[in-house]
Amino acid sequence: MQSASIQENEKTASGGDDDQRGWWFSDVQARSFNAQQECESSLGLEESIETVKTAVKDLGPFDGILGFSQGAALVAMLCALQEQKLEADFNFRFAVLVAGFRSACSQHRRFYEAPAITIPSLHVFGQDDRVIPEEMSRDLLPAFDGAQILIHPGGHFVPAASSHRQTYQDFLKKF
Protein backbone atom coordinates (compact mmCIF):
# COMPACT_ATOMS: atom_id res chain seq x y z
CA MET A 1 0.00 0.00 0.00
CA GLN A 2 2.83 2.41 0.83
CA SER A 3 4.40 1.73 -2.57
CA ALA A 4 1.17 2.69 -4.35
CA SER A 5 0.88 5.92 -2.39
CA ILE A 6 4.49 6.83 -3.20
CA GLN A 7 3.80 6.27 -6.89
CA GLU A 8 0.74 8.52 -6.63
CA ASN A 9 2.81 11.19 -4.89
CA GLU A 10 5.43 10.95 -7.63
CA LYS A 11 2.72 11.37 -10.27
CA THR A 12 1.34 14.39 -8.46
CA ALA A 13 4.79 15.87 -7.94
CA SER A 14 5.64 15.51 -11.63
CA GLY A 15 2.37 16.88 -12.98
CA GLY A 16 0.55 13.63 -13.74
CA ASP A 17 1.13 10.56 -15.88
CA ASP A 18 1.33 12.46 -19.17
CA ASP A 19 4.18 14.60 -17.88
CA GLN A 20 6.29 11.76 -16.41
CA ARG A 21 9.99 11.95 -17.06
CA GLY A 22 12.89 10.27 -15.43
CA TRP A 23 16.57 9.47 -15.65
CA TRP A 24 15.83 5.74 -15.61
CA PHE A 25 12.91 3.37 -15.16
CA SER A 26 12.89 0.90 -12.28
CA ASP A 27 10.07 -1.09 -13.94
CA VAL A 28 11.34 -1.84 -17.42
CA GLN A 29 8.04 -3.38 -18.61
CA ALA A 30 5.79 -0.56 -17.41
CA ARG A 31 8.40 2.12 -18.14
CA SER A 32 7.78 3.61 -14.72
CA PHE A 33 9.84 4.62 -11.72
CA ASN A 34 9.42 4.13 -8.01
CA ALA A 35 12.34 5.06 -5.74
CA GLN A 36 11.55 2.21 -3.35
CA GLN A 37 11.14 -0.45 -6.03
CA GLU A 38 13.93 -3.01 -5.91
CA CYS A 39 14.92 -4.20 -9.35
CA GLU A 40 17.67 -6.16 -11.03
CA SER A 41 18.18 -3.82 -13.97
CA SER A 42 16.94 -0.44 -15.09
CA LEU A 43 16.18 1.16 -18.40
CA GLY A 44 17.64 4.49 -19.48
CA LEU A 45 20.49 5.13 -17.05
CA GLU A 46 23.28 4.79 -19.61
CA GLU A 47 21.46 7.13 -22.00
CA SER A 48 21.01 9.63 -19.17
CA ILE A 49 24.71 9.53 -18.34
CA GLU A 50 25.49 10.12 -22.02
CA THR A 51 23.06 13.07 -22.07
CA VAL A 52 24.85 14.68 -19.12
CA LYS A 53 28.26 14.00 -20.74
CA THR A 54 27.07 15.71 -23.93
CA ALA A 55 25.75 18.70 -21.97
CA VAL A 56 29.06 19.03 -20.11
CA LYS A 57 31.02 18.88 -23.38
CA ASP A 58 28.74 21.25 -25.29
CA LEU A 59 27.77 23.70 -22.56
CA GLY A 60 30.43 23.32 -19.88
CA PRO A 61 32.62 23.44 -18.06
CA PHE A 62 30.53 23.55 -14.89
CA ASP A 63 31.80 24.13 -11.37
CA GLY A 64 29.10 21.99 -9.79
CA ILE A 65 26.02 19.90 -10.34
CA LEU A 66 22.59 19.99 -8.71
CA GLY A 67 19.91 17.33 -8.77
CA PHE A 68 16.42 16.99 -7.33
CA SER A 69 14.81 13.66 -6.33
CA GLN A 70 15.69 11.05 -8.97
CA GLY A 71 18.01 13.68 -10.45
CA ALA A 72 19.84 13.85 -7.12
CA ALA A 73 20.19 10.06 -7.17
CA LEU A 74 21.69 10.45 -10.65
CA VAL A 75 24.04 13.17 -9.38
CA ALA A 76 25.33 10.73 -6.75
CA MET A 77 26.05 8.21 -9.50
CA LEU A 78 27.79 10.85 -11.64
CA CYS A 79 29.93 11.85 -8.65
CA ALA A 80 30.83 8.19 -8.13
CA LEU A 81 31.90 7.92 -11.78
CA GLN A 82 34.03 11.06 -11.37
CA GLU A 83 35.53 9.80 -8.11
CA GLN A 84 36.41 6.47 -9.71
CA LYS A 85 37.90 8.36 -12.68
CA LEU A 86 35.57 6.52 -15.06
CA GLU A 87 34.32 9.67 -16.79
CA ALA A 88 37.02 12.10 -17.89
CA ASP A 89 34.39 14.68 -18.87
CA PHE A 90 33.14 15.08 -15.30
CA ASN A 91 35.13 17.53 -13.23
CA PHE A 92 32.59 18.84 -10.74
CA ARG A 93 33.98 20.75 -7.77
CA PHE A 94 30.78 20.31 -5.73
CA ALA A 95 27.35 18.69 -5.77
CA VAL A 96 23.99 19.69 -4.33
CA LEU A 97 21.55 16.83 -3.87
CA VAL A 98 17.96 17.71 -2.94
CA ALA A 99 15.77 14.77 -1.87
CA GLY A 100 18.46 12.36 -3.04
CA PHE A 101 18.54 8.64 -2.37
CA ARG A 102 20.42 5.43 -3.17
CA SER A 103 18.97 3.60 -6.14
CA ALA A 104 17.33 0.33 -5.13
CA CYS A 105 18.35 -1.24 -8.45
CA SER A 106 20.97 -3.96 -7.97
CA GLN A 107 22.56 -2.93 -11.29
CA HIS A 108 23.45 0.40 -9.60
CA ARG A 109 25.20 -1.06 -6.54
CA ARG A 110 28.56 -0.42 -8.21
CA PHE A 111 28.10 3.29 -7.58
CA TYR A 112 27.96 2.77 -3.83
CA GLU A 113 30.56 0.03 -3.35
CA ALA A 114 33.58 2.18 -4.16
CA PRO A 115 35.38 4.32 -1.60
CA ALA A 116 33.42 7.32 -0.32
CA ILE A 117 32.95 10.22 -2.73
CA THR A 118 35.19 13.13 -1.75
CA ILE A 119 33.49 15.78 -3.91
CA PRO A 120 32.10 18.36 -1.45
CA SER A 121 28.36 17.86 -1.24
CA LEU A 122 25.29 19.50 0.26
CA HIS A 123 22.39 17.13 0.92
CA VAL A 124 19.00 18.78 1.36
CA PHE A 125 15.94 16.86 2.48
CA GLY A 126 12.57 17.37 4.11
CA GLN A 127 11.37 15.77 7.31
CA ASP A 128 7.86 15.51 5.87
CA ASP A 129 8.82 14.31 2.37
CA ARG A 130 6.33 11.61 1.37
CA VAL A 131 7.92 10.92 -2.02
CA ILE A 132 11.50 10.39 -0.79
CA PRO A 133 11.27 9.82 2.97
CA GLU A 134 14.02 11.34 5.12
CA GLU A 135 15.47 7.87 5.86
CA MET A 136 16.08 7.29 2.15
CA SER A 137 18.04 10.55 1.87
CA ARG A 138 20.00 9.70 5.02
CA ASP A 139 20.91 6.29 3.52
CA LEU A 140 22.81 8.11 0.75
CA LEU A 141 25.02 10.11 3.15
CA PRO A 142 27.64 7.37 3.82
CA ALA A 143 28.50 7.37 0.10
CA PHE A 144 29.91 10.90 0.56
CA ASP A 145 32.85 11.85 2.73
CA GLY A 146 32.11 14.96 4.80
CA ALA A 147 28.62 15.54 3.45
CA GLN A 148 27.00 18.79 4.58
CA ILE A 149 23.31 18.47 5.46
CA LEU A 150 20.36 20.87 5.32
CA ILE A 151 17.18 19.43 6.81
CA HIS A 152 13.93 21.35 6.46
CA PRO A 153 10.53 20.66 8.04
CA GLY A 154 8.71 20.46 4.70
CA GLY A 155 8.12 17.90 2.01
CA HIS A 156 9.29 17.14 -1.52
CA PHE A 157 10.57 20.53 -2.70
CA VAL A 158 13.64 22.75 -2.76
CA PRO A 159 13.43 24.90 0.37
CA ALA A 160 14.08 28.61 -0.16
CA ALA A 161 13.42 30.41 3.12
CA SER A 162 16.07 32.99 4.05
CA SER A 163 17.77 30.59 6.49
CA HIS A 164 17.96 27.96 3.76
CA ARG A 165 19.35 30.43 1.24
CA GLN A 166 22.07 31.33 3.72
CA THR A 167 23.08 27.66 3.96
CA TYR A 168 23.29 27.43 0.14
CA GLN A 169 25.32 30.63 -0.03
CA ASP A 170 27.72 29.53 2.71
CA PHE A 171 28.24 26.20 0.94
CA LEU A 172 28.76 27.78 -2.51
CA LYS A 173 31.13 30.49 -1.25
CA LYS A 174 33.76 27.78 -0.81
CA PHE A 175 33.97 27.39 -4.58
PDB file of all heavy atoms in Angstrom, residues 6 8 16 18 27 37-38 55 62 75 80 88 104 120 123 125 131 138 160 163-164 172-173:
ATOM      1  N   ILE A   6       3.286   6.130  -2.754  1.00  0.00           N
ATOM      2  CA  ILE A   6       4.493   6.829  -3.197  1.00  0.00           C
ATOM      3  C   ILE A   6       4.418   7.066  -4.699  1.00  0.00           C
ATOM      4  O   ILE A   6       4.742   8.140  -5.180  1.00  0.00           O
ATOM      5  CB  ILE A   6       5.763   6.051  -2.803  1.00  0.00           C
ATOM      6  CG1 ILE A   6       5.959   6.174  -1.302  1.00  0.00           C
ATOM      7  CG2 ILE A   6       6.987   6.554  -3.555  1.00  0.00           C
ATOM      8  CD1 ILE A   6       7.035   5.292  -0.743  1.00  0.00           C
ATOM      9  N   GLU A   8       1.716   7.453  -6.430  1.00  0.00           N
ATOM     10  CA  GLU A   8       0.744   8.523  -6.626  1.00  0.00           C
ATOM     11  C   GLU A   8       1.363   9.873  -6.307  1.00  0.00           C
ATOM     12  O   GLU A   8       1.154  10.842  -7.020  1.00  0.00           O
ATOM     13  CB  GLU A   8      -0.513   8.287  -5.769  1.00  0.00           C
ATOM     14  CG  GLU A   8      -1.386   7.163  -6.285  1.00  0.00           C
ATOM     15  CD  GLU A   8      -1.783   7.335  -7.753  1.00  0.00           C
ATOM     16  OE1 GLU A   8      -2.252   8.431  -8.131  1.00  0.00           O
ATOM     17  OE2 GLU A   8      -1.607   6.388  -8.532  1.00  0.00           O
ATOM     18  N   GLY A  16       1.449  14.625 -13.192  1.00  0.00           N
ATOM     19  CA  GLY A  16       0.549  13.627 -13.739  1.00  0.00           C
ATOM     20  C   GLY A  16       1.256  12.668 -14.667  1.00  0.00           C
ATOM     21  O   GLY A  16       2.395  12.871 -15.041  1.00  0.00           O
ATOM     22  N   ASP A  18       0.933  11.994 -17.843  1.00  0.00           N
ATOM     23  CA  ASP A  18       1.329  12.457 -19.166  1.00  0.00           C
ATOM     24  C   ASP A  18       2.634  13.241 -19.146  1.00  0.00           C
ATOM     25  O   ASP A  18       3.290  13.382 -20.165  1.00  0.00           O
ATOM     26  CB  ASP A  18       0.224  13.325 -19.768  1.00  0.00           C
ATOM     27  CG  ASP A  18      -1.046  12.527 -20.018  1.00  0.00           C
ATOM     28  OD1 ASP A  18      -0.955  11.280 -20.095  1.00  0.00           O
ATOM     29  OD2 ASP A  18      -2.123  13.143 -20.131  1.00  0.00           O
ATOM     30  N   ASP A  27      10.919  -0.030 -13.379  1.00  0.00           N
ATOM     31  CA  ASP A  27      10.075  -1.090 -13.937  1.00  0.00           C
ATOM     32  C   ASP A  27      10.194  -1.004 -15.453  1.00  0.00           C
ATOM     33  O   ASP A  27       9.571  -0.149 -16.093  1.00  0.00           O
ATOM     34  CB  ASP A  27       8.622  -0.908 -13.486  1.00  0.00           C
ATOM     35  CG  ASP A  27       7.736  -2.068 -13.916  1.00  0.00           C
ATOM     36  OD1 ASP A  27       8.008  -2.685 -14.973  1.00  0.00           O
ATOM     37  OD2 ASP A  27       6.767  -2.359 -13.194  1.00  0.00           O
ATOM     38  N   GLN A  37      11.273   0.816  -5.316  1.00  0.00           N
ATOM     39  CA  GLN A  37      11.144  -0.452  -6.034  1.00  0.00           C
ATOM     40  C   GLN A  37      12.510  -1.090  -6.240  1.00  0.00           C
ATOM     41  O   GLN A  37      13.379  -0.526  -6.900  1.00  0.00           O
ATOM     42  CB  GLN A  37      10.474  -0.236  -7.382  1.00  0.00           C
ATOM     43  CG  GLN A  37      10.330  -1.517  -8.193  1.00  0.00           C
ATOM     44  CD  GLN A  37       9.655  -1.271  -9.531  1.00  0.00           C
ATOM     45  OE1 GLN A  37       9.526  -0.137  -9.980  1.00  0.00           O
ATOM     46  NE2 GLN A  37       9.228  -2.343 -10.163  1.00  0.00           N
ATOM     47  N   GLU A  38      12.693  -2.267  -5.670  1.00  0.00           N
ATOM     48  CA  GLU A  38      13.925  -3.006  -5.910  1.00  0.00           C
ATOM     49  C   GLU A  38      13.823  -3.657  -7.280  1.00  0.00           C
ATOM     50  O   GLU A  38      12.772  -4.153  -7.672  1.00  0.00           O
ATOM     51  CB  GLU A  38      14.124  -4.064  -4.815  1.00  0.00           C
ATOM     52  CG  GLU A  38      14.390  -3.437  -3.469  1.00  0.00           C
ATOM     53  CD  GLU A  38      14.658  -4.458  -2.377  1.00  0.00           C
ATOM     54  OE1 GLU A  38      14.934  -5.630  -2.701  1.00  0.00           O
ATOM     55  OE2 GLU A  38      14.578  -4.068  -1.210  1.00  0.00           O
ATOM     56  N   ALA A  55      26.009  17.350 -22.488  1.00  0.00           N
ATOM     57  CA  ALA A  55      25.754  18.704 -21.971  1.00  0.00           C
ATOM     58  C   ALA A  55      27.022  19.317 -21.402  1.00  0.00           C
ATOM     59  O   ALA A  55      27.307  20.504 -21.636  1.00  0.00           O
ATOM     60  CB  ALA A  55      24.648  18.666 -20.919  1.00  0.00           C
ATOM     61  N   PHE A  62      31.372  23.177 -16.007  1.00  0.00           N
ATOM     62  CA  PHE A  62      30.530  23.549 -14.889  1.00  0.00           C
ATOM     63  C   PHE A  62      31.307  23.348 -13.597  1.00  0.00           C
ATOM     64  O   PHE A  62      32.026  22.365 -13.457  1.00  0.00           O
ATOM     65  CB  PHE A  62      29.265  22.685 -14.847  1.00  0.00           C
ATOM     66  CG  PHE A  62      28.402  22.838 -16.070  1.00  0.00           C
ATOM     67  CD1 PHE A  62      28.369  21.859 -17.050  1.00  0.00           C
ATOM     68  CD2 PHE A  62      27.613  23.966 -16.225  1.00  0.00           C
ATOM     69  CE1 PHE A  62      27.574  22.002 -18.176  1.00  0.00           C
ATOM     70  CE2 PHE A  62      26.813  24.123 -17.346  1.00  0.00           C
ATOM     71  CZ  PHE A  62      26.792  23.139 -18.325  1.00  0.00           C
ATOM     72  N   VAL A  75      22.858  12.381  -9.717  1.00  0.00           N
ATOM     73  CA  VAL A  75      24.043  13.175  -9.380  1.00  0.00           C
ATOM     74  C   VAL A  75      24.998  12.350  -8.523  1.00  0.00           C
ATOM     75  O   VAL A  75      26.215  12.384  -8.732  1.00  0.00           O
ATOM     76  CB  VAL A  75      23.647  14.495  -8.682  1.00  0.00           C
ATOM     77  CG1 VAL A  75      24.843  15.139  -7.989  1.00  0.00           C
ATOM     78  CG2 VAL A  75      23.046  15.465  -9.699  1.00  0.00           C
ATOM     79  N   ALA A  80      30.099   9.449  -8.301  1.00  0.00           N
ATOM     80  CA  ALA A  80      30.832   8.186  -8.132  1.00  0.00           C
ATOM     81  C   ALA A  80      31.680   7.903  -9.365  1.00  0.00           C
ATOM     82  O   ALA A  80      32.839   7.488  -9.249  1.00  0.00           O
ATOM     83  CB  ALA A  80      29.867   7.038  -7.857  1.00  0.00           C
ATOM     84  N   ALA A  88      36.066  10.985 -17.801  1.00  0.00           N
ATOM     85  CA  ALA A  88      37.020  12.096 -17.893  1.00  0.00           C
ATOM     86  C   ALA A  88      36.323  13.445 -18.073  1.00  0.00           C
ATOM     87  O   ALA A  88      36.882  14.479 -17.723  1.00  0.00           O
ATOM     88  CB  ALA A  88      37.988  11.851 -19.043  1.00  0.00           C
ATOM     89  N   ALA A 104      17.608   1.671  -5.617  1.00  0.00           N
ATOM     90  CA  ALA A 104      17.327   0.326  -5.129  1.00  0.00           C
ATOM     91  C   ALA A 104      17.567  -0.731  -6.204  1.00  0.00           C
ATOM     92  O   ALA A 104      17.300  -1.909  -5.987  1.00  0.00           O
ATOM     93  CB  ALA A 104      15.881   0.243  -4.620  1.00  0.00           C
ATOM     94  N   PRO A 120      32.916  17.693  -2.468  1.00  0.00           N
ATOM     95  CA  PRO A 120      32.099  18.361  -1.455  1.00  0.00           C
ATOM     96  C   PRO A 120      30.624  18.341  -1.866  1.00  0.00           C
ATOM     97  O   PRO A 120      30.282  18.610  -3.027  1.00  0.00           O
ATOM     98  CB  PRO A 120      32.650  19.784  -1.431  1.00  0.00           C
ATOM     99  CG  PRO A 120      34.068  19.636  -1.912  1.00  0.00           C
ATOM    100  CD  PRO A 120      34.009  18.545  -2.943  1.00  0.00           C
ATOM    101  N   HIS A 123      23.568  18.003   1.029  1.00  0.00           N
ATOM    102  CA  HIS A 123      22.394  17.132   0.923  1.00  0.00           C
ATOM    103  C   HIS A 123      21.233  17.818   1.616  1.00  0.00           C
ATOM    104  O   HIS A 123      21.304  18.121   2.808  1.00  0.00           O
ATOM    105  CB  HIS A 123      22.683  15.775   1.566  1.00  0.00           C
ATOM    106  CG  HIS A 123      23.814  15.065   0.910  1.00  0.00           C
ATOM    107  ND1 HIS A 123      23.627  13.992   0.075  1.00  0.00           N
ATOM    108  CD2 HIS A 123      25.156  15.289   0.940  1.00  0.00           C
ATOM    109  CE1 HIS A 123      24.805  13.581  -0.375  1.00  0.00           C
ATOM    110  NE2 HIS A 123      25.744  14.362   0.136  1.00  0.00           N
ATOM    111  N   PHE A 125      17.128  17.713   2.481  1.00  0.00           N
ATOM    112  CA  PHE A 125      15.942  16.862   2.485  1.00  0.00           C
ATOM    113  C   PHE A 125      14.937  17.309   3.530  1.00  0.00           C
ATOM    114  O   PHE A 125      15.283  17.966   4.506  1.00  0.00           O
ATOM    115  CB  PHE A 125      16.292  15.377   2.639  1.00  0.00           C
ATOM    116  CG  PHE A 125      17.269  15.038   3.728  1.00  0.00           C
ATOM    117  CD1 PHE A 125      16.846  14.744   5.008  1.00  0.00           C
ATOM    118  CD2 PHE A 125      18.632  14.973   3.450  1.00  0.00           C
ATOM    119  CE1 PHE A 125      17.760  14.401   5.995  1.00  0.00           C
ATOM    120  CE2 PHE A 125      19.548  14.642   4.428  1.00  0.00           C
ATOM    121  CZ  PHE A 125      19.105  14.348   5.716  1.00  0.00           C
ATOM    122  N   VAL A 131       7.472  11.557  -0.780  1.00  0.00           N
ATOM    123  CA  VAL A 131       7.923  10.918  -2.016  1.00  0.00           C
ATOM    124  C   VAL A 131       9.258  10.216  -1.763  1.00  0.00           C
ATOM    125  O   VAL A 131       9.427   9.047  -2.084  1.00  0.00           O
ATOM    126  CB  VAL A 131       8.035  11.947  -3.163  1.00  0.00           C
ATOM    127  CG1 VAL A 131       8.560  11.288  -4.427  1.00  0.00           C
ATOM    128  CG2 VAL A 131       6.685  12.600  -3.420  1.00  0.00           C
ATOM    129  N   ARG A 138      18.926   9.963   4.053  1.00  0.00           N
ATOM    130  CA  ARG A 138      19.999   9.699   5.020  1.00  0.00           C
ATOM    131  C   ARG A 138      20.829   8.477   4.603  1.00  0.00           C
ATOM    132  O   ARG A 138      22.027   8.434   4.850  1.00  0.00           O
ATOM    133  CB  ARG A 138      19.425   9.487   6.418  1.00  0.00           C
ATOM    134  CG  ARG A 138      18.957  10.777   7.064  1.00  0.00           C
ATOM    135  CD  ARG A 138      18.609  10.562   8.533  1.00  0.00           C
ATOM    136  NE  ARG A 138      18.170  11.786   9.147  1.00  0.00           N
ATOM    137  CZ  ARG A 138      18.976  12.743   9.592  1.00  0.00           C
ATOM    138  NH1 ARG A 138      20.277  12.607   9.475  1.00  0.00           N
ATOM    139  NH2 ARG A 138      18.484  13.839  10.140  1.00  0.00           N
ATOM    140  N   ALA A 160      13.485  27.333   0.230  1.00  0.00           N
ATOM    141  CA  ALA A 160      14.083  28.607  -0.162  1.00  0.00           C
ATOM    142  C   ALA A 160      13.825  29.727   0.845  1.00  0.00           C
ATOM    143  O   ALA A 160      13.880  30.900   0.480  1.00  0.00           O
ATOM    144  CB  ALA A 160      13.560  29.007  -1.541  1.00  0.00           C
ATOM    145  N   SER A 163      16.771  31.413   5.795  1.00  0.00           N
ATOM    146  CA  SER A 163      17.773  30.592   6.491  1.00  0.00           C
ATOM    147  C   SER A 163      18.337  29.504   5.579  1.00  0.00           C
ATOM    148  O   SER A 163      19.520  29.170   5.658  1.00  0.00           O
ATOM    149  CB  SER A 163      17.169  29.967   7.748  1.00  0.00           C
ATOM    150  OG  SER A 163      16.092  29.106   7.400  1.00  0.00           O
ATOM    151  N   HIS A 164      17.499  28.975   4.702  1.00  0.00           N
ATOM    152  CA  HIS A 164      17.964  27.956   3.757  1.00  0.00           C
ATOM    153  C   HIS A 164      18.891  28.583   2.719  1.00  0.00           C
ATOM    154  O   HIS A 164      19.924  28.010   2.374  1.00  0.00           O
ATOM    155  CB  HIS A 164      16.784  27.269   3.063  1.00  0.00           C
ATOM    156  CG  HIS A 164      15.818  26.651   4.029  1.00  0.00           C
ATOM    157  ND1 HIS A 164      14.471  26.851   3.941  1.00  0.00           N
ATOM    158  CD2 HIS A 164      16.014  25.865   5.116  1.00  0.00           C
ATOM    159  CE1 HIS A 164      13.860  26.205   4.920  1.00  0.00           C
ATOM    160  NE2 HIS A 164      14.782  25.600   5.646  1.00  0.00           N
ATOM    161  N   LEU A 172      28.245  27.414  -1.188  1.00  0.00           N
ATOM    162  CA  LEU A 172      28.759  27.784  -2.505  1.00  0.00           C
ATOM    163  C   LEU A 172      29.927  28.748  -2.442  1.00  0.00           C
ATOM    164  O   LEU A 172      30.763  28.778  -3.358  1.00  0.00           O
ATOM    165  CB  LEU A 172      27.631  28.351  -3.370  1.00  0.00           C
ATOM    166  CG  LEU A 172      26.525  27.354  -3.735  1.00  0.00           C
ATOM    167  CD1 LEU A 172      25.368  28.064  -4.431  1.00  0.00           C
ATOM    168  CD2 LEU A 172      27.071  26.218  -4.587  1.00  0.00           C
ATOM    169  N   LYS A 173      30.031  29.545  -1.392  1.00  0.00           N
ATOM    170  CA  LYS A 173      31.127  30.494  -1.246  1.00  0.00           C
ATOM    171  C   LYS A 173      32.487  29.784  -1.223  1.00  0.00           C
ATOM    172  O   LYS A 173      33.513  30.390  -1.554  1.00  0.00           O
ATOM    173  CB  LYS A 173      30.986  31.311   0.040  1.00  0.00           C
ATOM    174  CG  LYS A 173      30.015  32.446  -0.075  1.00  0.00           C
ATOM    175  CD  LYS A 173      29.909  33.187   1.260  1.00  0.00           C
ATOM    176  CE  LYS A 173      28.793  34.191   1.211  1.00  0.00           C
ATOM    177  NZ  LYS A 173      28.551  34.810   2.535  1.00  0.00           N
TER     178      LYS A 173
END
